[in-house]
Amino acid sequence: MNERRAKAAPTAPSLPKNRAVVISTTAIGTALILVMIWLLLVPMPERLDTERAFRAAKDCAPGAVATDCLHSVPAVIERTREKNGKAHAHWMYVKTAEGNTPTLYFKGGERYTFDGLAGKRIGVTYWEGSVRYVDWANARWYTAADPRGAYRLFLAWGLALGTAGLGLILIGLWWVRGYATTRLRYPWQPGVLIMGTTVLGLAGGLLPWFTHGWRAALLAYGVVGAVAVTACALTAVGLHRANARKTTDTITIASVVPDEEAVFPGIVRGDVPYGGALGGGYLIADADGLSIIPDPNYRIHPKVVPATLEPLRVRPPYRTDPKGLDVDNTCLVLECQDGDTPVYVAAARESMPLVLGALTAARQLPQP
């Protein structure tokens, strides 16, 4: 295909730095990191202190009324209730020998079987005013008030939010130096940063639930971080070298003349009667040429793309493209020319061969 450029696509466009993107990413990223610091330094240590105190607690002396010891009381199960679904949970309604009637809630992660337990005698153990576990049939069932591992929620959220904040700040820093160096609408550098921080953020959100202790979680997070940084660096180096070897960003696409009518998302822009903002959004490609319709279910009076439209080359989307020339994040742009007027056609990568085939077929048909 001829790689001659349309006149409206300058080789070195002037791209001012987008200060709004830099300011917003830096501000939001900083806020997320501050939230992470608060989560890791305020509520998480409190939960760790509570867990250590619970693990160190001893049985209360006979007749003691202190709350910092383990106070066990005989009880009878009056009834139970179960909730199935994503949040599988159990409730146990008991009456203690002291006359109290606490309602015990057991988290969904604990797959207890409470069927037929009504009327059974159990032992409930209080600590700091709440029932922490029950004993029955040589088994111990911890309630939702179990303080062990309560730090995990704050550690997971802290690592996930902090990683997201770091990613936003890195994207903002890249935008300061890299925004004006590329005309691509979707440059690869932010994509690498997003993928790396997404993987690291997911690891930070999941590792506290699968490791024993916060130190092990942080160590595993550090290992994943080192691997993610290495992978991102190698990917960036590889992509940079591959792009440095290219002399053009033209994408080779083989044209395919449609055997039958094909309808797909597509946009045509240019200073031509058929390239306006109204009446577009979908393309019809067939052996007679290319047409524009507003909706796949509304094909009355389509705008016919004339045979005078000459395709020049296929390339990625530019930020200098006409407004609204965007199908999705993976679309390609076909630079065309109708006489001396530049025209642009955007379509998904899998649809671009049909666009080229329809335009080529229209130019080969006998003209009136």
Side-chain angles (χ1 to χ4, degrees), residues 209-220:
W209 306 99
F210 296 97
T211 53
H212 297 287
W214 62 273
R215 292 184 179 86
L218 290 179
L219 178 62

Side-chain angles (χ1 to χ4, degrees), residues 72-85:
S72 299
V73 182
V76 176
I77 301 175
E78 295 187 327
R79 62 187 178 92
T80 61
R81 183 165 62 92
E82 182 177 350
K83 178 184 177 182
N84 293 314

Side-chain angles (χ1 to χ4, degrees), residues 231-277:
C232 288
L234 293 175
T235 301
V237 170
L239 290 174
H240 178 75
R241 290 181 176 178
N243 289 326
R245 289 193 294 267
K246 294 180 180 179
T247 59
T248 177
D249 59 358
T250 297
I251 300 173
T252 302
I253 299 287
S255 63
V256 176
V257 178
D259 295 329
E260 57 185 14
E261 183 180 271
V263 181
F264 47 84
I267 299 173
V268 179
R269 290 289 184 270
D271 190 14
V272 290
Y274 54 89

Side-chain angles (χ1 to χ4, degrees), residues 57-222:
K58 305 296 183 181
D59 292 336
C60 293
V65 294
T67 60
D68 59 349
C69 57
L70 302 176
H71 178 54
S72 299
V73 182
V76 176
I77 301 175
E78 295 187 327
R79 62 187 178 92
T80 61
R81 183 165 62 92
E82 182 177 350
K83 178 184 177 182
N84 293 314
K86 291 184 178 180
H88 191 79
H90 291 277
W91 286 265
M92 181 183 292
Y93 302 85
V94 304
K95 184 175 183 179
T96 69
E98 296 174 343
N100 298 320
T101 56
T103 299
L104 311 182
Y105 172 63
F106 297 82
K107 293 181 180 179
E110 305 292 345
R111 296 290 177 171
Y112 300 117
T113 300
F114 286 175
D115 293 340
L117 292 185
K120 301 293 184 179
R121 295 185 177 277
I122 60 173
V124 299
T125 300
Y126 287 86
W127 183 76
E128 295 292 346
S130 299
V131 177
R132 308 295 177 163
Y133 58 83
V134 301
D135 292 301
W136 181 76
N138 298 321
R140 176 163 292 177
W141 299 340
Y142 285 88
T143 69
D146 178 16
R148 300 173 308 159
Y151 71 90
R152 289 189 171 95
L153 180 64
F154 301 95
L155 180 58
W157 274 107
L159 295 179
L161 294 177
T163 304
L166 175 63
L168 288 173
I169 291 176
L170 291 177
I171 290 175
L173 292 175
W174 176 85
W175 226 270
V176 171
R177 299 181 59 86
Y179 181 85
T181 63
T182 177
R183 60 187 171 191
L184 294 177
R185 184 181 299 166
Y186 306 110
W188 60 266
Q189 292 90 341
V192 172
L193 291 174
I194 291 173
M195 287 300 298
T197 53
T198 298
V199 171
L200 187 56
L202 288 174
L206 294 176
L207 285 172
W209 306 99
F210 296 97
T211 53
H212 297 287
W214 62 273
R215 292 184 179 86
L218 290 179
L219 178 62
Y221 177 79

